[in-house]
Amino acid sequence: QTGKVISSFVKLCSNIVHSYEVSYPKDWFTTYSEGSGECSFFAPYTFVVPVDTGTFFVPVKLEVHTILDWPNLQKLYLNPNDFQNIVSIENKEIEGKSATKVRSSATGNGSARQGFLSIAYLIFDVDRPVVISYQQLDETENIGKMEEGLDEIASSFKYF
């Protein structure tokens, strides 16, 4: 096993409730209101976690699921539906786990404005699959920078 070199351009974060760690861009922020939410929300600006975290309030969020959720997660993210049109799907491997990167465009029928970009990593784990996702929240966002941050978080994700 080889160690991963962490550059001076990232910060590290660990969630002891779900037993994972990630790195994220050094000029980004993460915060939480309870232990299970640690290292779950990321943005290139400071923020406060609201009581209801069901909708996007920051551009990037990380969610740990049960294996029973996996079929429905795949159906939701990998297929066009009333809320999204699929732009591209890319299969990857992250820390030895099968992963899929899905880019989609909002239809405007959900909480995201029509045409806003969404990118999700679905990382398969037999016990606790993970979805790490970005949702464009504003037309002035630097999407390239957001995607770089998302890619850093997803590519560094690992359970301990």
Short mmCIF file of all heavy atoms in Angstrom, two decimals, residues 54-79:
data_model
loop_
_atom_site.label_atom_id
_atom_site.label_comp_id
_atom_site.label_asym_id
_atom_site.label_seq_id
_atom_site.Cartn_x
_atom_site.Cartn_y
_atom_site.Cartn_z
N GLY A 54 -32.14 19.11 4.15
CA GLY A 54 -32.65 18.31 3.04
C GLY A 54 -32.42 18.94 1.67
O GLY A 54 -32.27 18.25 0.68
N THR A 55 -32.41 20.26 1.60
CA THR A 55 -32.15 20.93 0.33
C THR A 55 -30.74 21.50 0.36
O THR A 55 -30.13 21.62 1.42
CB THR A 55 -33.15 22.08 0.08
OG1 THR A 55 -33.04 23.02 1.14
CG2 THR A 55 -34.58 21.56 -0.01
N PHE A 56 -30.24 21.85 -0.80
CA PHE A 56 -28.89 22.39 -0.89
C PHE A 56 -28.86 23.80 -0.33
O PHE A 56 -29.61 24.66 -0.75
CB PHE A 56 -28.40 22.43 -2.35
CG PHE A 56 -27.80 21.14 -2.82
CD1 PHE A 56 -28.58 20.16 -3.39
CD2 PHE A 56 -26.44 20.91 -2.68
CE1 PHE A 56 -28.02 18.97 -3.82
CE2 PHE A 56 -25.87 19.74 -3.10
CZ PHE A 56 -26.66 18.76 -3.68
N PHE A 57 -27.99 24.05 0.63
CA PHE A 57 -27.77 25.39 1.15
C PHE A 57 -26.31 25.77 0.96
O PHE A 57 -25.93 26.92 1.14
CB PHE A 57 -28.16 25.49 2.63
CG PHE A 57 -27.35 24.58 3.53
CD1 PHE A 57 -26.22 25.06 4.17
CD2 PHE A 57 -27.72 23.26 3.70
CE1 PHE A 57 -25.47 24.23 4.98
CE2 PHE A 57 -26.97 22.43 4.51
CZ PHE A 57 -25.85 22.91 5.15
N VAL A 58 -25.47 24.79 0.61
CA VAL A 58 -24.08 24.99 0.22
C VAL A 58 -23.87 24.20 -1.07
O VAL A 58 -24.61 23.26 -1.34
CB VAL A 58 -23.07 24.53 1.30
CG1 VAL A 58 -23.13 25.43 2.51
CG2 VAL A 58 -23.27 23.09 1.67
N PRO A 59 -22.88 24.54 -1.85
CA PRO A 59 -22.71 23.87 -3.14
C PRO A 59 -22.39 22.38 -3.06
O PRO A 59 -22.82 21.61 -3.91
CB PRO A 59 -21.56 24.61 -3.80
CG PRO A 59 -21.39 25.87 -3.06
CD PRO A 59 -21.95 25.66 -1.70
N VAL A 60 -21.64 21.94 -2.04
CA VAL A 60 -21.20 20.53 -2.01
C VAL A 60 -21.63 19.87 -0.71
O VAL A 60 -21.44 20.42 0.37
CB VAL A 60 -19.66 20.44 -2.16
CG1 VAL A 60 -19.19 18.99 -2.04
CG2 VAL A 60 -19.22 21.01 -3.51
N LYS A 61 -22.24 18.69 -0.86
CA LYS A 61 -22.58 17.91 0.33
C LYS A 61 -22.22 16.45 0.12
O LYS A 61 -22.19 15.94 -0.99
CB LYS A 61 -24.03 18.09 0.74
CG LYS A 61 -25.08 17.49 -0.15
CD LYS A 61 -26.46 17.76 0.46
CE LYS A 61 -27.56 17.26 -0.43
NZ LYS A 61 -28.88 17.49 0.17
N LEU A 62 -21.92 15.79 1.24
CA LEU A 62 -21.52 14.39 1.27
C LEU A 62 -22.54 13.65 2.13
O LEU A 62 -22.80 14.06 3.26
CB LEU A 62 -20.12 14.27 1.86
CG LEU A 62 -19.43 12.92 1.83
CD1 LEU A 62 -17.93 13.10 1.86
CD2 LEU A 62 -19.87 12.02 2.96
N GLU A 63 -23.11 12.59 1.58
CA GLU A 63 -24.13 11.82 2.29
C GLU A 63 -23.77 10.34 2.31
O GLU A 63 -23.52 9.75 1.26
CB GLU A 63 -25.49 11.98 1.62
CG GLU A 63 -25.97 13.41 1.54
CD GLU A 63 -27.18 13.56 0.65
OE1 GLU A 63 -27.03 13.38 -0.58
OE2 GLU A 63 -28.27 13.84 1.18
N VAL A 64 -23.76 9.75 3.50
CA VAL A 64 -23.53 8.33 3.67
C VAL A 64 -24.90 7.66 3.73
O VAL A 64 -25.79 8.11 4.45
CB VAL A 64 -22.73 8.04 4.96
CG1 VAL A 64 -22.57 6.54 5.16
CG2 VAL A 64 -21.37 8.72 4.90
N HIS A 65 -25.07 6.59 2.96
CA HIS A 65 -26.35 5.88 2.89
C HIS A 65 -26.19 4.43 3.33
O HIS A 65 -25.07 3.96 3.53
CB HIS A 65 -26.88 5.92 1.45
CG HIS A 65 -27.22 7.30 0.97
ND1 HIS A 65 -28.43 7.89 1.21
CD2 HIS A 65 -26.47 8.23 0.31
CE1 HIS A 65 -28.43 9.11 0.70
NE2 HIS A 65 -27.26 9.33 0.13
N THR A 66 -27.29 3.71 3.40
CA THR A 66 -27.24 2.27 3.65
C THR A 66 -27.27 1.56 2.30
O THR A 66 -27.70 2.12 1.30
CB THR A 66 -28.44 1.78 4.49
OG1 THR A 66 -29.63 1.88 3.71
CG2 THR A 66 -28.58 2.59 5.78
N ILE A 67 -26.84 0.32 2.31
CA ILE A 67 -26.85 -0.47 1.07
C ILE A 67 -28.27 -0.62 0.53
O ILE A 67 -28.47 -0.73 -0.68
CB ILE A 67 -26.14 -1.83 1.26
CG1 ILE A 67 -25.86 -2.50 -0.09
CG2 ILE A 67 -26.96 -2.74 2.16
CD1 ILE A 67 -24.92 -1.74 -0.99
N LEU A 68 -29.26 -0.58 1.40
CA LEU A 68 -30.65 -0.69 0.95
C LEU A 68 -31.07 0.52 0.12
O LEU A 68 -31.98 0.42 -0.71
CB LEU A 68 -31.58 -0.84 2.15
CG LEU A 68 -31.36 -2.11 2.99
CD1 LEU A 68 -32.27 -2.09 4.21
CD2 LEU A 68 -31.59 -3.36 2.16
N ASP A 69 -30.40 1.66 0.31
CA ASP A 69 -30.70 2.87 -0.46
C ASP A 69 -30.10 2.83 -1.87
O ASP A 69 -30.53 3.58 -2.75
CB ASP A 69 -30.11 4.11 0.23
CG ASP A 69 -30.73 4.41 1.57
OD1 ASP A 69 -31.90 4.04 1.78
OD2 ASP A 69 -30.03 5.00 2.42
N TRP A 70 -29.09 1.99 -2.09
CA TRP A 70 -28.30 2.03 -3.33
C TRP A 70 -29.12 1.93 -4.61
O TRP A 70 -28.93 2.74 -5.53
CB TRP A 70 -27.20 0.99 -3.27
CG TRP A 70 -26.20 1.13 -4.38
CD1 TRP A 70 -25.97 0.24 -5.39
CD2 TRP A 70 -25.30 2.23 -4.62
NE1 TRP A 70 -24.98 0.71 -6.23
CE2 TRP A 70 -24.56 1.92 -5.78
CE3 TRP A 70 -25.07 3.43 -3.97
CZ2 TRP A 70 -23.60 2.78 -6.29
CZ3 TRP A 70 -24.10 4.28 -4.49
CH2 TRP A 70 -23.39 3.95 -5.63
N PRO A 71 -30.04 0.95 -4.74
CA PRO A 71 -30.80 0.87 -6.01
C PRO A 71 -31.59 2.15 -6.31
O PRO A 71 -31.61 2.60 -7.46
CB PRO A 71 -31.74 -0.32 -5.79
CG PRO A 71 -31.06 -1.15 -4.74
CD PRO A 71 -30.37 -0.15 -3.84
N ASN A 72 -32.21 2.74 -5.31
CA ASN A 72 -32.97 3.97 -5.54
C ASN A 72 -32.06 5.16 -5.83
O ASN A 72 -32.42 6.05 -6.60
CB ASN A 72 -33.88 4.27 -4.35
CG ASN A 72 -35.05 3.32 -4.29
OD1 ASN A 72 -35.51 2.81 -5.31
ND2 ASN A 72 -35.53 3.05 -3.09
N LEU A 73 -30.88 5.21 -5.21
CA LEU A 73 -29.92 6.26 -5.51
C LEU A 73 -29.47 6.18 -6.95
O LEU A 73 -29.40 7.21 -7.65
CB LEU A 73 -28.71 6.17 -4.58
CG LEU A 73 -28.94 6.53 -3.12
CD1 LEU A 73 -27.74 6.13 -2.28
CD2 LEU A 73 -29.23 8.01 -2.98
N GLN A 74 -29.16 4.97 -7.41
CA GLN A 74 -28.75 4.81 -8.81
C GLN A 74 -29.87 5.23 -9.75
O GLN A 74 -29.62 5.91 -10.74
CB GLN A 74 -28.37 3.35 -9.07
CG GLN A 74 -27.06 2.96 -8.44
CD GLN A 74 -26.68 1.55 -8.82
OE1 GLN A 74 -27.43 0.61 -8.59
NE2 GLN A 74 -25.51 1.41 -9.40
N LYS A 75 -31.08 4.83 -9.44
CA LYS A 75 -32.22 5.19 -10.29
C LYS A 75 -32.38 6.71 -10.34
O LYS A 75 -32.59 7.29 -11.40
CB LYS A 75 -33.50 4.55 -9.74
CG LYS A 75 -34.70 4.73 -10.66
CD LYS A 75 -35.98 4.20 -10.05
CE LYS A 75 -35.92 2.74 -9.77
NZ LYS A 75 -37.19 2.21 -9.24
N LEU A 76 -32.26 7.37 -9.20
CA LEU A 76 -32.43 8.81 -9.14
C LEU A 76 -31.34 9.56 -9.90
O LEU A 76 -31.63 10.46 -10.70
CB LEU A 76 -32.43 9.28 -7.68
CG LEU A 76 -32.47 10.80 -7.46
CD1 LEU A 76 -33.79 11.38 -7.95
CD2 LEU A 76 -32.24 11.13 -6.00
N TYR A 77 -30.09 9.20 -9.68
CA TYR A 77 -28.97 9.96 -10.26
C TYR A 77 -28.61 9.57 -11.69
O TYR A 77 -28.11 10.40 -12.44
CB TYR A 77 -27.73 9.84 -9.38
CG TYR A 77 -27.80 10.66 -8.12
CD1 TYR A 77 -28.20 10.09 -6.92
CD2 TYR A 77 -27.49 12.02 -8.13
CE1 TYR A 77 -28.28 10.85 -5.76
CE2 TYR A 77 -27.57 12.78 -6.98
CZ TYR A 77 -27.96 12.19 -5.80
OH TYR A 77 -28.03 12.94 -4.66
N LEU A 78 -28.83 8.32 -12.08
CA LEU A 78 -28.35 7.84 -13.37
C LEU A 78 -29.38 7.92 -14.49
O LEU A 78 -29.07 7.58 -15.63
CB LEU A 78 -27.84 6.41 -13.25
CG LEU A 78 -26.64 6.22 -12.32
CD1 LEU A 78 -26.30 4.74 -12.18
CD2 LEU A 78 -25.45 7.00 -12.81
N ASN A 79 -30.58 8.35 -14.19
CA ASN A 79 -31.64 8.40 -15.20
C ASN A 79 -32.23 9.79 -15.31
O ASN A 79 -32.43 10.46 -14.30
CB ASN A 79 -32.75 7.41 -14.84
CG ASN A 79 -32.27 5.99 -14.85
OD1 ASN A 79 -31.89 5.46 -15.88
ND2 ASN A 79 -32.26 5.35 -13.68
#
